[in-house]
Amino acid sequence: MDIDQIRADTPALNDVTFMNAAGSSISPEPVYNGMAFILDEEARIGGYHTHYKYEQELEVDLYASVAQLINCKPSEVAIVENATVAWQKIFYSLALTWKKGDIILSSTTEYGANLIAFMHVKKLYGVETIVLPDNELGEIDVIAMDAQIEALNGADKNVVLIAISHIPSNNALVQPAEAVGKVANKYGITYLLDACQSIGLYPVNVKKIGCDFLTTTSRKFLRGPRGNGFLYVSSKQLETIEPAMLDFFGAELDGAHNYNLRKDARRFENWENAYALRAGLHAAVDYALDLGLHKIWKRTQIISSKMREAIAEIPQMHIADLGSVQCSIITCYHETKPAAEIRKFLENKNILLTTASDHSAPWDGEQRKLPMKLRFSPHYYNDKNDVDTVIEILKAAVK
Ligand SMILES: Cc1ncc(COP(=O)(O)O)c(C=O)c1O
């Protein structure tokens, strides 16, 4: 990887030590330029004419790039407003077929917004959510999971969905998504993967994972803009799934009294869209593809493990990350100094990071009962100098 070129593409990295890719990354210039170009055109010739003029890029090439990123067909991709909307579109569409007593399986580290949807379908339809068993490293225990499904089947329970976050918001854990997929496919259970933190960081391959659906955002490790994301719907699911909401883009009017559903995943989209943001997403995907996801994963593994080791050596600092495979999210806390105070100290020295509360993964929070944590999320654009700076200032913050 040409780090000098990468950093030259993002001059803002000279002004700040940026450690918040898991929140919302700084985009490289091609992303900004892609958006600015469409905005300029819209200012000159209006939104519709810009759309007609760049139809190939916005309607065809973008979908091909996203498909390449996750190894699916362009017809299996829909672009929507954010990861939560992507997830909700799938979840609430599936819910149309659920009955009282049906079971959803999810993980301890599931994202807080998804938990609200689980509670919502319990209230609306009487669908229960059961937490999958974890192993001693805090990741899904796939053997125990298999036994759990066997027992549920034996008790005549209908498991309608496995919904897990690939990488949670609140720690480094990479869930064994492929192994979960094997179990899901063995029992023919629909599998929805929240890949909000893994896209742009981890080489995600939907065919290898074996998920039916995948949802994500643009703004995190992918380095795209705020305000959009995408979802994957497998061709098999496209044969049957009916969106919970449709407009006349997702379906075509057939006379005045009938409609025909779109054949592709774009049945989950609406007619009106922010095309400048789509151009930004397109540039971000192409940028990641050019660098190569395996290379990105390798470099971020090196940077984050070095940082994690150095933080662990600071007296009274504790690492809070789980899992046998850990990504470029480092969570930690100090025995006495509150995370918010440390974060403020770092921010005053131009180190940008966030704190991680129980809010983002409430079941995990309830189980581990840890204080508020600092969350560092370096990316491939960070270098040794950034890591040294963070460690030096963090030491000073907790002295
Ligand atoms: C694991 C996970 N899922 C979903 C989301 C929601 O993403 P968005 O804010 O784009 O809806 C987040 C955001 O932090 C996340 O970390």
Side-chain angles (χ1 to χ4, degrees):
M1 262 187 190
D2 184 347
I3 298 305
D4 289 343
Q5 182 57 51
I6 285 168
R7 289 184 70 93
D9 288 342
T10 314
L13 292 171
N14 295 325
D15 305 326
V16 291
T17 306
F18 195 76
M19 290 280 155
N20 193 14
S24 183
S25 242
I26 300 184
S27 297
E29 277 184 342
V31 171
Y32 179 84
N33 293 341
M35 293 192 288
F37 179 80
I38 293 295
L39 283 177
D40 269 2
E41 288 287 83
E42 287 179 347
R44 269 186 344 99
I45 58 173
Y48 288 5
H49 301 282
T50 303
H51 185 204
Y52 305 146
K53 194 168 165 189
Y54 300 101
E55 204 160 354
Q56 175 69 28
E57 289 85 344
L58 297 167
E59 301 285 347
V60 181
D61 300 347
L62 164 61
Y63 290 81
S65 288
V66 173
Q68 193 187 335
L69 184 72
I70 58 171
N71 189 33
C72 70
K73 297 182 202 148
S75 59
E76 294 173 315
V77 173
I79 315 284
V80 296
E81 296 91 319
N82 55 58
T84 304
V85 164
W87 193 93
Q88 288 169 337
K89 278 178 184 262
I90 300 303
F91 184 80
Y92 285 98
S93 303
L94 293 170
L96 295 174
T97 64
W98 295 340
K99 302 177 301 300
K100 188 172 165 48
D102 283 348
I103 305 284
I104 296 167
L105 296 176
S106 188
S107 66
T108 315
T109 54
E110 191 63 6
Y111 188 60
N114 302 352
L115 261 54
I116 292 181
F118 297 152
M119 296 172 209
H120 196 205
V121 293
K122 179 170 181 178
K123 186 162 116 186
L124 293 178
Y125 311 120
V127 175
E128 299 279 342
T129 302
I130 296 180
V131 185
L132 291 162
D134 292 327
N135 64 19
E136 66 287 353
L137 295 168
E139 64 201 16
I140 296 167
D141 182 333
V142 184
I143 295 171
M145 170 188 180
D146 193 311
Q148 185 186 42
I149 296 172
E150 200 69 62
L152 286 165
N153 286 347
D156 251 353
K157 296 283 188 191
N158 190 25
V159 182
V160 288
L161 181 69
I162 296 170
I164 63 161
S165 296
H166 194 186
I167 295 173
S169 186
N170 73 332
N171 85 86
L173 166 73
V174 182
Q175 291 283 16
E178 264 183 55
V180 169
K182 285 204 175 74
V183 179
N185 291 324
K186 173 177 161 189
Y187 291 99
I189 303 169
T190 304
Y191 179 19
L192 164 58
L193 187 68
D194 175 340
C196 195
Q197 296 291 0
S198 48
I199 293 292
L201 175 64
Y202 185 88
V204 172
N205 179 333
V206 289
K207 293 287 160 355
K208 262 174 101 176
I209 291 172
C211 55
D212 296 282
F213 305 101
L214 173 145
T215 57
T216 195
T217 182
S218 302
R219 73 180 184 279
K220 295 180 186 284
F221 286 97
L222 190 56
R223 308 184 67 200
R226 294 193 74 171
N228 71 9
F230 61 85
L231 60 90
Y232 155 78
V233 185
S234 72
S235 295
K236 184 164 165 272
Q237 289 291 341
L238 282 171
E239 287 168 17
T240 51
I241 192 160
E242 183 96 17
M245 287 178 285
L246 277 172
D247 78 346
F248 53 16
F249 184 83
E252 205 177 29
L253 277 168
D254 178 7
H257 299 281
N258 290 306
Y259 69 84
N260 296 315
L261 209 54
R262 275 185 76 104
K263 296 251 180 296
D264 59 19
R266 296 186 71 185
R267 72 180 64 161
F268 287 96
E269 294 183 8
N270 289 115
W271 189 85
E272 174 58 1
N273 287 293
Y275 287 99
L277 297 184
R278 286 180 171 227
L281 169 62
H282 190 186
V285 172
D286 284 352
Y287 196 85
L289 285 172
D290 280 349
L291 291 176
L293 265 300
H294 288 278
K295 286 190 184 146
I296 291 175
W297 176 247
K298 201 168 154 204
R299 181 169 164 87
T300 55
Q301 283 282 281
I302 295 168
I303 294 169
S304 60
S305 54
K306 282 210 174 110
M307 228 176 117
R308 194 175 288 113
E309 279 162 25
I311 292 173
E313 279 175 16
I314 301 175
Q316 294 186 288
M317 285 296 303
H318 298 281
I319 298 293
D321 296 325
L322 302 170
S324 59
V325 181
Q326 299 190 328
C327 75
S328 203
I329 293 178
I330 301 150
T331 54
C332 54
Y333 59 95
H334 187 264
E335 281 174 20
T336 55
K337 278 240 158 106
E341 216 176 276
I342 303 174
R343 174 188 165 181
K344 195 92 219 123
F345 188 97
L346 295 175
E347 255 176 28
N348 286 338
K349 308 277 182 198
N350 282 339
I351 298 172
L352 301 184
L353 73 155
T354 51
T355 47
S357 71
D358 290 351
H359 187 76
S360 56
W363 290 338
D364 180 38
E366 189 179 56
Q367 194 165 298
R368 291 202 284 160
K369 293 194 172 44
L370 294 176
M372 176 87 91
K373 292 163 282 173
L374 294 166
R375 185 181 72 174
F376 295 95
S377 43
H379 210 346
Y380 56 80
Y381 45 67
N382 291 113
D383 56 16
K384 185 175 177 307
N385 192 31
D386 287 340
V387 175
D388 291 347
T389 304
V390 169
I391 300 302
E392 189 193 315
I393 308 287
L394 184 57
K395 279 181 184 163
V398 299
K399 205 163 60 191

